[in-house]
Amino acid sequence: QVQLVESGGGSVQAGGSLRLSCVGSGFKYIAYSRYCMAWFRQVPGKEREGVAHIEGDGTTRYAVDSVKGRFTISRDNAKNTLYLQMNTLKPEDTAMYYCAARASGNCPGVIRDYDMDYWGKGTLVTISS
C-alpha cells in the first residue's frame, strides 16, 4: 500500500519561507517515478484545492495563480520524495497542505482531488501578518 508522509509545515511570519517534503513508500507495482504527484491545500470550511503538480519527467503546473513565482514544486525520484518550496509567504497561504499521488500516468491538465489515488495526512502551514 502506498503511503505518503508530509513534513516541513510550521508557523512563520509573512514574507518568510518554508519547504514542505513528502516521502512516499510502498511503490511495489508502479515505480514512484511514474506517478503524477501534487500538492493540495485546504482551509477549514473551504474545498481542498490543487496548488501544483508534477509529472514523472519533471513537468510542472501551478493551479493557483497567487502562488506562481513564489512556490516551486519538485521531486527526487531516487528518494521517492516530493517537495514544495514556498517563498514570500502570505497570510492567505495558511492552510493544511496535503501531498497526493496519482498512479494513472500523466497528470490531468487541471488537477482535482478526485483525480488522486493516495493522500498523506497533511502538514499545517500558518502564516502570521
Side-chain angles (χ1 to χ4, degrees), residues 2-3 9 11 13 15-16 23 31 37 41 44 52 54 56 62 65 72 77-78 84 93 97 118 122 127-128:
V2 171
Q3 292 187 330
S11 297
Q13 290 189 329
V23 179
M37 299 298 298
R41 66 185 182 185
I54 183 168
Y62 297 89
D65 287 341
T72 302
N77 290 335
L84 185 68
D93 294 319
Y97 282 73
Y118 304 101
I127 311 303
S128 58

Side-chain angles (χ1 to χ4, degrees), residues 78-120:
K79 296 181 178 179
N80 291 357
T81 302
L82 177 72
Y83 303 101
L84 185 68
Q85 178 67 45
M86 305 187 295
N87 298 327
T88 319
L89 283 160
K90 303 176 181 181
E92 51 264 42
D93 294 319
T94 295
M96 184 71 81
Y97 282 73
Y98 297 91
C99 166
R102 169 183 166 93
S104 304
N106 294 340
C107 298
V110 177
I111 204 159
R112 308 293 185 191
D113 54 5
Y114 53 74
D115 292 317
M116 311 308 288
D117 299 309
Y118 304 101
W119 292 87

